[in-house]
Amino acid sequence: MLKRLLYVCVIFACITLKVSAAAPLIDVNSLKTILKIENGVEREKKIVGYITNSLRLSPEFGLLATKKELNNTLSQLHVENAVAFEYFAESMYQRRLVHMDDAEAAMVKAIKFAGYNHDHYLVYSFLSHLAFIQTEEGNAIDAVTSYGLSKKETLKINDPHLQVQIDVNMSDVYYKNNFYSQSLFYLNQAELLNKKYGSDDVNVNKVIYYNKAENFFRMNKPDSLKVYHDKLLGIKGNIYKLHTYQKRTEYYLAILQYDFKSAINLIKKLQKDNLYQYIDQDQQNLADAYFNGGQPDSAITIINELLAQPLEINHPEIKYHLYKVLGQIAEAKNDHKTAAYNLKLSLEQAEDVVNRLTQVGNISSQIMIDEIEGSYIQKDESYKRERIWLMFAVLGAIFIIILIAMFYRSAKQKRHYEKLLFTAQKEELAFINSHEVRKHLSNIMGIIDVIKTSDDRQKEYELFEDHLFCSATSMDKAIKSISAKLDDHFPEATVSSPKFSPETPIEEVTPVNEAKAYKALKAS
Protein backbone atom coordinates (compact mmCIF):
# COMPACT_ATOMS: atom_id res chain seq x y z
CA MET A 1 0.00 0.00 0.00
CA LEU A 2 2.81 2.36 0.93
CA LYS A 3 4.64 1.56 -2.32
CA ARG A 4 1.52 2.35 -4.34
CA LEU A 5 1.14 5.68 -2.53
CA LEU A 6 4.76 6.56 -3.25
CA TYR A 7 4.30 5.56 -6.89
CA VAL A 8 1.21 7.80 -7.23
CA CYS A 9 3.10 10.71 -5.64
CA VAL A 10 6.00 10.29 -8.08
CA ILE A 11 3.63 10.19 -11.07
CA PHE A 12 1.79 13.27 -9.78
CA ALA A 13 5.11 15.13 -9.35
CA CYS A 14 6.19 14.22 -12.89
CA ILE A 15 2.86 15.40 -14.33
CA THR A 16 3.16 18.65 -12.37
CA LEU A 17 6.67 19.25 -13.70
CA LYS A 18 5.56 18.58 -17.28
CA VAL A 19 2.59 20.92 -16.96
CA SER A 20 4.83 23.60 -15.46
CA ALA A 21 7.34 23.15 -18.25
CA ALA A 22 4.58 23.30 -20.87
CA ALA A 23 3.14 26.53 -19.47
CA PRO A 24 4.25 29.81 -21.07
CA LEU A 25 7.53 30.81 -19.45
CA ILE A 26 7.93 34.25 -20.99
CA ASP A 27 5.60 37.19 -21.50
CA VAL A 28 5.42 37.60 -25.29
CA ASN A 29 3.19 40.67 -25.06
CA SER A 30 5.83 42.50 -23.01
CA LEU A 31 8.40 41.76 -25.70
CA LYS A 32 6.02 43.03 -28.41
CA THR A 33 5.57 46.25 -26.43
CA ILE A 34 9.35 46.63 -26.16
CA LEU A 35 9.74 46.18 -29.93
CA LYS A 36 7.46 49.20 -30.52
CA ILE A 37 9.99 51.55 -28.89
CA GLU A 38 11.34 53.80 -31.65
CA ASN A 39 14.67 54.71 -30.02
CA GLY A 40 17.07 51.92 -31.00
CA VAL A 41 19.31 52.10 -27.93
CA GLU A 42 16.37 52.17 -25.51
CA ARG A 43 14.77 49.25 -27.33
CA GLU A 44 17.95 47.17 -27.11
CA LYS A 45 18.38 48.03 -23.40
CA LYS A 46 14.89 46.69 -22.73
CA ILE A 47 15.49 43.51 -24.77
CA VAL A 48 18.76 42.78 -22.92
CA GLY A 49 17.01 43.30 -19.59
CA TYR A 50 14.05 41.18 -20.73
CA ILE A 51 16.28 38.22 -21.67
CA THR A 52 18.37 38.54 -18.50
CA ASN A 53 15.34 38.65 -16.19
CA SER A 54 13.55 35.82 -18.01
CA LEU A 55 16.50 33.46 -17.46
CA ARG A 56 17.36 34.76 -14.00
CA LEU A 57 13.81 34.34 -12.64
CA SER A 58 13.09 31.04 -14.36
CA PRO A 59 13.08 27.96 -12.08
CA GLU A 60 16.00 25.65 -12.73
CA PHE A 61 13.84 22.77 -14.04
CA GLY A 62 12.30 25.10 -16.67
CA LEU A 63 15.48 26.93 -17.59
CA LEU A 64 16.09 25.08 -20.87
CA ALA A 65 12.45 25.51 -21.95
CA THR A 66 12.65 29.22 -21.19
CA LYS A 67 15.78 29.59 -23.31
CA LYS A 68 14.22 27.74 -26.26
CA GLU A 69 11.01 29.77 -26.06
CA LEU A 70 13.02 32.98 -25.95
CA ASN A 71 14.96 32.05 -29.08
CA ASN A 72 11.80 30.99 -30.95
CA THR A 73 10.03 34.21 -30.00
CA LEU A 74 12.99 36.38 -31.07
CA SER A 75 13.05 34.60 -34.42
CA GLN A 76 9.28 34.72 -35.00
CA LEU A 77 9.05 38.44 -34.20
CA HIS A 78 11.98 39.15 -36.57
CA VAL A 79 13.87 41.02 -33.89
CA GLU A 80 16.82 42.98 -35.24
CA ASN A 81 20.14 41.31 -34.28
CA ALA A 82 18.16 38.18 -33.33
CA VAL A 83 21.22 35.91 -33.75
CA ALA A 84 23.29 38.08 -31.38
CA PHE A 85 20.45 38.00 -28.82
CA GLU A 86 20.18 34.21 -29.13
CA TYR A 87 23.86 33.79 -28.28
CA PHE A 88 23.41 36.22 -25.42
CA ALA A 89 20.52 34.10 -24.09
CA GLU A 90 22.69 31.00 -24.44
CA SER A 91 25.44 32.68 -22.41
CA MET A 92 23.00 33.67 -19.65
CA TYR A 93 21.66 30.11 -19.63
CA GLN A 94 25.14 28.59 -19.27
CA ARG A 95 25.96 31.13 -16.57
CA ARG A 96 22.94 29.98 -14.55
CA LEU A 97 24.26 26.43 -14.83
CA VAL A 98 27.72 27.68 -13.67
CA HIS A 99 29.29 26.51 -16.96
CA MET A 100 31.50 29.58 -17.15
CA ASP A 101 33.64 28.49 -20.11
CA ASP A 102 30.53 27.80 -22.22
CA ALA A 103 28.98 31.07 -21.05
CA GLU A 104 32.11 32.99 -22.08
CA ALA A 105 32.26 31.28 -25.50
CA ALA A 106 28.60 32.10 -26.23
CA MET A 107 29.07 35.73 -25.17
CA VAL A 108 32.08 36.10 -27.48
CA LYS A 109 29.87 34.94 -30.39
CA ALA A 110 27.17 37.42 -29.36
CA ILE A 111 29.76 40.23 -29.45
CA LYS A 112 30.93 39.04 -32.86
CA PHE A 113 27.45 39.14 -34.44
CA ALA A 114 26.64 42.51 -32.82
CA GLY A 115 29.90 43.86 -34.25
CA TYR A 116 28.90 42.82 -37.79
CA ASN A 117 26.10 45.41 -37.68
CA HIS A 118 28.28 48.04 -35.96
CA ASP A 119 25.80 48.10 -33.09
CA HIS A 120 27.84 49.97 -30.47
CA TYR A 121 25.30 49.61 -27.67
CA LEU A 122 25.00 45.82 -28.01
CA VAL A 123 28.78 45.45 -28.26
CA TYR A 124 29.09 47.54 -25.09
CA SER A 125 26.41 45.52 -23.27
CA PHE A 126 27.77 42.11 -24.30
CA LEU A 127 31.36 43.10 -23.45
CA SER A 128 30.15 44.17 -19.99
CA HIS A 129 28.42 40.81 -19.47
CA LEU A 130 31.54 39.04 -20.70
CA ALA A 131 33.52 40.95 -18.08
CA PHE A 132 31.00 39.84 -15.41
CA ILE A 133 31.61 36.22 -16.35
CA GLN A 134 35.39 36.69 -16.38
CA THR A 135 35.24 38.40 -12.97
CA GLU A 136 33.27 35.49 -11.53
CA GLU A 137 35.89 33.13 -12.95
CA GLY A 138 38.60 35.14 -11.20
CA ASN A 139 40.10 36.13 -14.56
CA ALA A 140 40.77 39.75 -13.64
CA ILE A 141 43.10 40.36 -16.61
CA ASP A 142 40.50 39.54 -19.25
CA ALA A 143 37.76 41.23 -17.21
CA VAL A 144 39.66 44.53 -17.09
CA THR A 145 40.42 44.21 -20.81
CA SER A 146 36.73 43.61 -21.62
CA TYR A 147 35.68 46.59 -19.52
CA GLY A 148 38.28 48.72 -21.25
CA LEU A 149 36.90 47.75 -24.68
CA SER A 150 33.38 48.30 -23.38
CA LYS A 151 34.26 51.80 -22.20
CA LYS A 152 35.54 52.67 -25.68
CA GLU A 153 32.10 51.75 -27.03
CA THR A 154 30.43 54.10 -24.52
CA LEU A 155 32.59 56.95 -25.84
CA LYS A 156 31.29 56.22 -29.34
CA ILE A 157 27.70 56.20 -28.07
CA ASN A 158 28.44 59.34 -25.99
CA ASP A 159 26.17 58.19 -23.15
CA PRO A 160 27.50 59.26 -19.70
CA HIS A 161 25.06 56.91 -17.91
CA LEU A 162 26.70 53.92 -19.58
CA GLN A 163 30.09 55.27 -18.53
CA VAL A 164 28.80 55.34 -14.94
CA GLN A 165 27.93 51.64 -15.18
CA ILE A 166 31.37 50.80 -16.59
CA ASP A 167 33.08 52.72 -13.78
CA VAL A 168 31.06 50.76 -11.21
CA ASN A 169 31.91 47.47 -12.89
CA MET A 170 35.60 48.39 -13.14
CA SER A 171 35.62 49.17 -9.43
CA ASP A 172 34.27 45.68 -8.74
CA VAL A 173 37.20 44.05 -10.56
CA TYR A 174 39.74 46.12 -8.63
CA TYR A 175 37.92 45.38 -5.37
CA LYS A 176 38.07 41.64 -5.96
CA ASN A 177 41.79 41.96 -6.63
CA ASN A 178 42.44 43.96 -3.45
CA PHE A 179 43.06 47.27 -5.27
CA TYR A 180 40.76 49.14 -2.88
CA SER A 181 42.03 52.66 -3.58
CA GLN A 182 41.65 52.13 -7.33
CA SER A 183 38.19 50.67 -6.76
CA LEU A 184 37.13 53.71 -4.71
CA PHE A 185 38.55 56.00 -7.41
CA TYR A 186 36.22 54.50 -10.03
CA LEU A 187 33.27 54.58 -7.61
CA ASN A 188 33.87 58.27 -6.86
CA GLN A 189 34.08 58.94 -10.59
CA ALA A 190 30.81 57.08 -11.16
CA GLU A 191 29.09 59.01 -8.34
CA LEU A 192 30.21 62.37 -9.76
CA LEU A 193 29.00 61.46 -13.27
CA ASN A 194 25.68 60.22 -11.89
CA LYS A 195 25.09 63.57 -10.13
CA LYS A 196 26.55 65.75 -12.89
CA TYR A 197 24.14 64.59 -15.57
CA GLY A 198 21.11 64.99 -13.33
CA SER A 199 19.97 61.39 -13.26
CA ASP A 200 20.96 60.60 -9.64
CA ASP A 201 19.54 57.12 -10.32
CA VAL A 202 18.54 55.31 -7.10
CA ASN A 203 19.62 51.94 -8.50
CA VAL A 204 23.03 53.32 -9.44
CA ASN A 205 23.40 54.99 -6.03
CA LYS A 206 22.46 51.71 -4.35
CA VAL A 207 25.28 49.86 -6.16
CA ILE A 208 27.80 52.67 -5.54
CA TYR A 209 26.99 52.82 -1.80
CA TYR A 210 27.19 49.04 -1.46
CA ASN A 211 30.48 48.75 -3.37
CA LYS A 212 31.99 51.50 -1.25
CA ALA A 213 30.81 49.66 1.87
CA GLU A 214 32.50 46.49 0.58
CA ASN A 215 35.78 48.36 0.08
CA PHE A 216 35.68 49.93 3.54
CA PHE A 217 34.90 46.51 5.04
CA ARG A 218 38.02 45.04 3.41
CA MET A 219 40.05 48.10 4.44
CA ASN A 220 38.86 47.64 8.06
CA LYS A 221 37.27 51.11 8.31
CA PRO A 222 34.10 50.71 10.42
CA ASP A 223 33.27 54.43 10.53
CA SER A 224 33.28 54.79 6.75
CA LEU A 225 31.40 51.50 6.42
CA LYS A 226 28.68 52.78 8.78
CA VAL A 227 28.24 55.95 6.68
CA TYR A 228 27.38 53.90 3.59
CA HIS A 229 25.38 51.33 5.54
CA ASP A 230 23.19 54.22 6.75
CA LYS A 231 22.91 55.54 3.18
CA LEU A 232 21.69 52.12 2.05
CA LEU A 233 19.13 52.12 4.86
CA GLY A 234 17.98 55.54 3.65
CA ILE A 235 16.94 54.10 0.28
CA LYS A 236 13.30 53.02 0.35
CA GLY A 237 11.22 50.84 -1.94
CA ASN A 238 11.18 47.35 -3.37
CA ILE A 239 14.50 47.65 -5.23
CA TYR A 240 16.42 44.66 -6.54
CA LYS A 241 19.04 43.39 -4.03
CA LEU A 242 18.53 46.38 -1.70
CA HIS A 243 17.45 44.11 1.19
CA THR A 244 20.51 41.89 0.59
CA TYR A 245 22.89 44.87 0.61
CA GLN A 246 21.35 46.32 3.78
CA LYS A 247 21.57 43.04 5.70
CA ARG A 248 25.05 42.18 4.46
CA THR A 249 26.54 45.52 5.49
CA GLU A 250 24.80 45.10 8.85
CA TYR A 251 26.78 41.99 9.72
CA TYR A 252 29.90 43.57 8.17
CA LEU A 253 29.66 46.21 10.90
CA ALA A 254 29.38 43.53 13.58
CA ILE A 255 32.54 41.83 12.27
CA LEU A 256 34.56 45.09 12.19
CA GLN A 257 33.35 45.86 15.72
CA TYR A 258 34.69 42.41 16.79
CA ASP A 259 31.19 41.31 17.77
CA PHE A 260 31.65 37.92 16.09
CA LYS A 261 28.84 36.24 18.02
CA SER A 262 26.30 38.74 16.67
CA ALA A 263 27.80 38.44 13.20
CA ILE A 264 27.42 34.63 13.28
CA ASN A 265 23.80 34.89 14.41
CA LEU A 266 23.00 37.46 11.73
CA ILE A 267 24.54 35.36 8.95
CA LYS A 268 22.77 32.20 10.09
CA LYS A 269 19.44 34.04 10.12
CA LEU A 270 20.09 35.22 6.56
CA GLN A 271 20.40 31.59 5.43
CA LYS A 272 16.67 31.26 6.15
CA ASP A 273 15.68 34.69 4.80
CA ASN A 274 13.84 34.16 1.49
CA LEU A 275 14.35 37.80 0.48
CA TYR A 276 18.11 37.58 1.01
CA GLN A 277 20.36 36.33 -1.80
CA TYR A 278 22.79 34.12 0.09
CA ILE A 279 26.08 33.50 -1.76
CA ASP A 280 29.45 31.82 -1.18
CA GLN A 281 30.90 35.12 -0.01
CA ASP A 282 28.53 34.98 2.97
CA GLN A 283 29.75 31.46 3.72
CA GLN A 284 33.35 32.68 3.58
CA ASN A 285 32.52 35.54 5.96
CA LEU A 286 30.75 33.07 8.27
CA ALA A 287 33.91 30.92 8.33
CA ASP A 288 35.99 34.02 9.20
CA ALA A 289 33.52 34.92 11.98
CA TYR A 290 33.72 31.38 13.40
CA PHE A 291 37.54 31.47 13.25
CA ASN A 292 37.84 34.90 14.89
CA GLY A 293 35.06 34.06 17.36
CA GLY A 294 36.92 31.05 18.71
CA GLN A 295 35.02 28.29 16.86
CA PRO A 296 37.74 26.88 14.56
CA ASP A 297 36.05 23.52 13.91
CA SER A 298 32.96 25.19 12.46
CA ALA A 299 35.27 27.38 10.36
CA ILE A 300 37.13 24.29 9.03
CA THR A 301 33.86 22.60 8.03
CA ILE A 302 32.70 25.61 6.00
CA ILE A 303 36.13 26.17 4.39
CA ASN A 304 36.36 22.54 3.27
CA GLU A 305 32.88 22.84 1.73
CA LEU A 306 33.98 25.96 -0.14
CA LEU A 307 37.22 24.35 -1.37
CA ALA A 308 35.26 21.36 -2.66
CA GLN A 309 33.36 23.57 -5.09
CA PRO A 310 34.37 23.71 -8.81
CA LEU A 311 37.52 25.54 -9.82
CA GLU A 312 35.46 28.05 -11.82
CA ILE A 313 33.92 29.32 -8.56
CA ASN A 314 37.06 29.19 -6.38
CA HIS A 315 39.54 31.46 -8.13
CA PRO A 316 43.02 32.12 -6.60
CA GLU A 317 41.98 35.15 -4.52
CA ILE A 318 39.41 33.03 -2.63
CA LYS A 319 41.64 29.96 -2.29
CA TYR A 320 44.52 32.09 -1.00
CA HIS A 321 42.39 33.34 1.89
CA LEU A 322 40.80 29.95 2.66
CA TYR A 323 44.13 28.09 2.80
CA LYS A 324 45.58 30.87 4.92
CA VAL A 325 42.77 30.53 7.49
CA LEU A 326 43.21 26.71 7.56
CA GLY A 327 46.93 27.20 8.14
CA GLN A 328 46.30 29.62 10.99
CA ILE A 329 43.83 27.22 12.62
CA ALA A 330 46.27 24.31 12.35
CA GLU A 331 49.05 26.50 13.75
CA ALA A 332 46.85 27.46 16.73
CA LYS A 333 46.33 23.72 17.38
CA ASN A 334 50.10 23.12 17.16
CA ASP A 335 49.56 20.92 14.11
CA HIS A 336 52.63 22.31 12.39
CA LYS A 337 52.62 19.80 9.54
CA THR A 338 49.05 20.66 8.47
CA ALA A 339 49.77 24.34 9.05
CA ALA A 340 52.86 24.23 6.81
CA TYR A 341 50.94 22.35 4.10
CA ASN A 342 48.03 24.81 4.06
CA LEU A 343 50.30 27.86 4.21
CA LYS A 344 52.30 26.41 1.31
CA LEU A 345 49.09 26.08 -0.72
CA SER A 346 48.16 29.61 0.31
CA LEU A 347 51.57 30.84 -0.87
CA GLU A 348 51.10 29.15 -4.26
CA GLN A 349 47.76 30.87 -4.69
CA ALA A 350 49.32 34.16 -3.54
CA GLU A 351 52.01 33.87 -6.24
CA ASP A 352 49.30 33.34 -8.85
CA VAL A 353 47.43 36.34 -7.46
CA VAL A 354 50.58 38.51 -7.60
CA ASN A 355 51.21 37.52 -11.22
CA ARG A 356 47.64 38.34 -12.11
CA LEU A 357 47.73 41.64 -10.22
CA THR A 358 50.92 42.67 -12.05
CA GLN A 359 49.20 42.08 -15.37
CA VAL A 360 46.05 43.77 -14.14
CA GLY A 361 48.16 46.79 -13.17
CA ASN A 362 49.69 46.90 -16.66
CA ILE A 363 46.28 46.65 -18.30
CA SER A 364 44.94 49.26 -15.88
CA SER A 365 47.70 51.64 -16.97
CA GLN A 366 46.81 51.03 -20.61
CA ILE A 367 43.14 51.66 -19.85
CA MET A 368 44.02 54.92 -18.13
CA ILE A 369 46.01 55.92 -21.23
CA ASP A 370 43.02 55.01 -23.42
CA GLU A 371 40.72 57.02 -21.15
CA ILE A 372 43.04 60.03 -21.36
CA GLU A 373 43.17 59.68 -25.15
CA GLY A 374 39.41 59.32 -25.30
CA SER A 375 38.97 62.34 -23.05
CA TYR A 376 41.39 64.32 -25.23
CA ILE A 377 39.50 63.32 -28.38
CA GLN A 378 36.17 64.31 -26.80
CA LYS A 379 37.56 67.65 -25.64
CA ASP A 380 39.18 68.26 -29.04
CA GLU A 381 35.87 67.59 -30.79
CA SER A 382 34.13 69.82 -28.28
CA TYR A 383 36.65 72.59 -28.94
CA LYS A 384 36.18 72.17 -32.70
CA ARG A 385 32.43 72.53 -32.32
CA GLU A 386 32.92 75.55 -30.09
CA ARG A 387 35.31 77.11 -32.64
CA ILE A 388 32.78 76.57 -35.42
CA TRP A 389 30.01 78.17 -33.35
CA LEU A 390 32.36 81.01 -32.41
CA MET A 391 33.19 81.58 -36.09
CA PHE A 392 29.48 81.65 -36.94
CA ALA A 393 28.89 84.06 -34.06
CA VAL A 394 31.72 86.36 -35.21
CA LEU A 395 30.54 86.26 -38.83
CA GLY A 396 26.99 86.93 -37.69
CA ALA A 397 28.14 89.85 -35.55
CA ILE A 398 30.15 91.29 -38.47
CA PHE A 399 27.14 90.91 -40.79
CA ILE A 400 24.88 92.64 -38.28
CA ILE A 401 27.42 95.47 -37.83
CA ILE A 402 27.64 95.91 -41.63
CA LEU A 403 23.83 96.04 -41.88
CA ILE A 404 23.63 98.57 -39.05
CA ALA A 405 26.36 100.66 -40.68
CA MET A 406 24.55 100.53 -44.04
CA PHE A 407 21.24 101.54 -42.44
CA TYR A 408 22.96 104.28 -40.48
CA ARG A 409 24.74 105.59 -43.61
CA SER A 410 21.48 105.44 -45.60
CA ALA A 411 19.59 107.28 -42.85
CA LYS A 412 22.36 109.85 -42.59
CA GLN A 413 22.38 110.43 -46.36
CA LYS A 414 18.58 110.67 -46.34
CA ARG A 415 18.70 113.28 -43.60
CA HIS A 416 21.41 115.15 -45.53
CA TYR A 417 19.36 115.14 -48.76
CA GLU A 418 16.23 116.15 -46.88
CA LYS A 419 18.17 119.01 -45.35
CA LEU A 420 19.41 120.13 -48.78
CA LEU A 421 15.90 119.82 -50.21
CA PHE A 422 14.45 121.76 -47.28
CA THR A 423 17.04 124.50 -47.75
CA ALA A 424 16.29 124.70 -51.49
CA GLN A 425 12.54 124.80 -50.84
CA LYS A 426 13.03 127.38 -48.14
CA GLU A 427 15.04 129.57 -50.52
CA GLU A 428 12.45 129.08 -53.25
CA LEU A 429 9.59 130.03 -50.93
CA ALA A 430 11.54 133.03 -49.68
CA PHE A 431 12.12 134.08 -53.28
CA ILE A 432 8.40 133.74 -54.09
CA ASN A 433 7.48 135.57 -50.92
CA SER A 434 9.86 138.47 -51.56
CA HIS A 435 9.35 138.85 -55.32
CA GLU A 436 5.72 137.94 -55.77
CA VAL A 437 3.70 138.33 -52.59
CA ARG A 438 5.46 141.35 -51.15
CA LYS A 439 5.58 143.13 -54.56
CA HIS A 440 1.81 142.96 -54.97
CA LEU A 441 1.27 143.72 -51.29
CA SER A 442 3.48 146.80 -51.67
CA ASN A 443 1.42 147.90 -54.71
CA ILE A 444 -1.83 147.51 -52.76
CA MET A 445 -0.44 149.34 -49.74
CA GLY A 446 0.85 152.15 -52.02
CA ILE A 447 -2.54 152.54 -53.74
CA ILE A 448 -4.33 152.56 -50.40
CA ASP A 449 -1.87 155.19 -49.11
CA VAL A 450 -2.54 157.41 -52.16
CA ILE A 451 -6.28 157.07 -51.71
CA LYS A 452 -6.05 157.92 -48.02
CA THR A 453 -4.00 161.08 -48.66
CA SER A 454 -6.17 162.22 -51.59
CA ASP A 455 -8.68 165.05 -51.19
CA ASP A 456 -11.27 163.18 -53.19
CA ARG A 457 -11.01 159.56 -52.05
CA GLN A 458 -13.99 158.42 -54.12
CA LYS A 459 -12.55 159.72 -57.29
CA GLU A 460 -9.11 158.39 -56.51
CA TYR A 461 -10.54 154.97 -55.65
CA GLU A 462 -12.44 154.81 -58.93
CA LEU A 463 -9.26 155.77 -60.69
CA PHE A 464 -7.12 153.07 -58.98
CA GLU A 465 -9.86 150.43 -58.60
CA ASP A 466 -8.70 148.26 -61.50
CA HIS A 467 -5.03 148.51 -60.42
CA LEU A 468 -5.94 147.58 -56.86
CA PHE A 469 -8.00 144.61 -58.00
CA CYS A 470 -5.26 143.44 -60.36
CA SER A 471 -2.61 143.57 -57.60
CA ALA A 472 -4.91 141.68 -55.17
CA THR A 473 -5.55 138.98 -57.78
CA SER A 474 -1.82 138.64 -58.51
CA MET A 475 -1.05 138.36 -54.78
CA ASP A 476 -3.74 135.67 -54.41
CA LYS A 477 -2.13 133.69 -57.23
CA ALA A 478 1.28 133.98 -55.54
CA ILE A 479 -0.13 132.72 -52.20
CA LYS A 480 -1.82 129.77 -53.96
CA SER A 481 1.47 128.97 -55.64
CA ILE A 482 3.19 128.86 -52.26
CA SER A 483 0.37 126.69 -50.85
CA ALA A 484 0.68 124.27 -53.77
CA LYS A 485 4.43 123.92 -53.25
CA LEU A 486 3.88 123.26 -49.55
CA ASP A 487 1.31 120.56 -50.42
CA ASP A 488 3.77 118.89 -52.81
CA HIS A 489 6.62 118.75 -50.30
CA PHE A 490 4.62 118.30 -47.06
CA PRO A 491 1.46 116.30 -47.98
CA GLU A 492 0.92 115.21 -44.36
CA ALA A 493 0.35 118.87 -43.46
CA THR A 494 -2.67 119.19 -45.79
CA VAL A 495 -5.38 118.48 -43.31
CA SER A 496 -8.56 120.40 -42.57
CA SER A 497 -8.13 123.29 -40.25
CA PRO A 498 -9.58 122.51 -36.78
CA LYS A 499 -11.24 125.94 -36.75
CA PHE A 500 -13.77 124.91 -39.37
CA SER A 501 -16.28 122.10 -39.38
CA PRO A 502 -16.16 119.78 -42.42
CA GLU A 503 -19.89 120.30 -42.92
CA THR A 504 -19.56 124.11 -43.09
CA PRO A 505 -19.61 125.22 -46.77
CA ILE A 506 -16.76 127.56 -47.47
CA GLU A 507 -17.07 129.71 -50.56
CA GLU A 508 -13.98 129.50 -52.69
CA VAL A 509 -12.02 132.75 -52.69
CA THR A 510 -11.45 133.73 -56.33
CA PRO A 511 -10.83 137.09 -58.07
CA VAL A 512 -14.45 137.08 -59.34
CA ASN A 513 -15.88 136.53 -55.87
CA GLU A 514 -13.57 139.17 -54.48
CA ALA A 515 -14.82 141.67 -57.09
CA LYS A 516 -18.47 140.87 -56.27
CA ALA A 517 -17.84 141.36 -52.60
CA TYR A 518 -16.01 144.60 -53.24
CA LYS A 519 -18.83 146.03 -55.43
CA ALA A 520 -21.44 145.05 -52.81
CA LEU A 521 -19.38 146.84 -50.19
CA LYS A 522 -19.05 149.90 -52.45
CA ALA A 523 -22.82 150.04 -53.13
CA SER A 524 -23.55 150.02 -49.41
Side-chain angles (χ1 to χ4, degrees), residues 276-335:
Y276 186 86
Q277 296 188 17
Y278 197 87
I279 58 176
D280 290 334
Q281 181 185 340
D282 296 312
Q283 277 292 87
Q284 184 180 333
N285 291 329
L286 180 59
D288 289 342
Y290 274 131
F291 168 63
N292 292 304
Q295 302 182 51
D297 292 337
S298 298
I300 291 171
T301 302
I302 294 173
I303 290 172
N304 287 331
E305 290 174 357
L306 290 170
L307 288 171
Q309 290 181 343
L311 181 64
E312 292 173 325
I313 298 174
N314 285 318
H315 43 78
E317 292 80 5
I318 294 176
K319 284 186 173 181
Y320 157 74
H321 178 75
L322 296 176
Y323 284 130
K324 181 182 176 183
V325 173
L326 285 176
Q328 289 173 338
I329 292 172
E331 189 176 12
K333 291 182 176 182
N334 294 319
D335 186 355

Side-chain angles (χ1 to χ4, degrees), residues 388-450:
I388 291 171
W389 282 111
L390 183 61
M391 287 174 63
F392 277 121
V394 170
L395 290 173
I398 292 172
F399 180 71
I400 291 171
I401 291 170
I402 291 171
L403 283 178
I404 292 172
M406 289 174 65
F407 281 122
Y408 176 74
R409 187 169 179 271
S410 175
K412 189 175 180 181
Q413 287 180 340
K414 183 179 178 181
R415 286 197 300 272
H416 176 68
Y417 291 140
E418 286 177 350
K419 186 176 179 181
L420 292 175
L421 181 62
F422 177 75
T423 303
Q425 291 170 348
K426 182 180 176 182
E427 290 176 353
E428 183 181 4
L429 291 173
F431 176 81
I432 294 171
N433 182 56
S434 61
H435 289 78
E436 297 293 333
V437 177
R438 291 191 66 81
K439 180 179 73 172
H440 300 300
L441 181 60
S442 297
N443 290 338
I444 292 170
M445 289 177 70
I447 292 170
I448 292 172
D449 188 55
V450 170

